[in-house]
Amino acid sequence: MSSSRPLQRTRLQQSLGGAWPRLEQWARNPWRRLSVLLIVLLSTFFLGNAVSTIIGARAFLDPPAALICVVLLELAIRARKPLLRRGGDRLGLELLDMSRIGFCYGLLLEGFKLL
């Protein structure tokens, strides 16, 4: 007796549904694109630095945290292949690369501080 009517689209779904094309359109300006990439790079650098600092303070979590970080970085590397094949704007690929670089650099810098 239940009818299979599609669910109603909310304002949030309508707004977020077109967010990526709007970001790509907005980032066509080279300075805006550079600013978005720099924000992603610095925020993931901070995240990598914070993760290594917090996990380093809790010595018993080092191996699982290292495994999780390696798995996340490996998944990001594997996510590049579909983005490379996709034509058009490469903003997603550039954002993924900047996040990988920032996160790795944050982890490595904190590791070199401990030497």
Side-chain angles (χ1 to χ4, degrees), residues 56-69:
R58 312 283 285 175
F60 66 94
L61 290 177
D62 285 345
L67 178 67
I68 291 170
C69 289

Side-chain angles (χ1 to χ4, degrees), residues 45-59 62 65-66 69 103-114:
F45 170 76
F46 174 74
L47 181 68
N49 201 349
V51 163
S52 60
T53 302
I54 292 169
I55 297 302
R58 312 283 285 175
D62 285 345
C69 289
F103 190 71
C104 279
Y105 189 65
L107 288 175
L108 288 174
L109 186 66
E110 195 65 30
F112 283 130
K113 286 180 189 176
L114 297 175

Side-chain angles (χ1 to χ4, degrees), residues 33-34 36-45 92-104:
R33 185 181 209 92
L34 184 64
V36 167
L37 293 174
L38 192 60
I39 288 169
V40 168
L41 177 75
L42 293 175
S43 61
T44 54
F45 170 76
L93 179 65
E94 292 171 356
L95 288 173
L96 182 65
D97 286 342
M98 285 294 132
S99 63
R100 282 188 317 121
I101 291 168
F103 190 71
C104 279

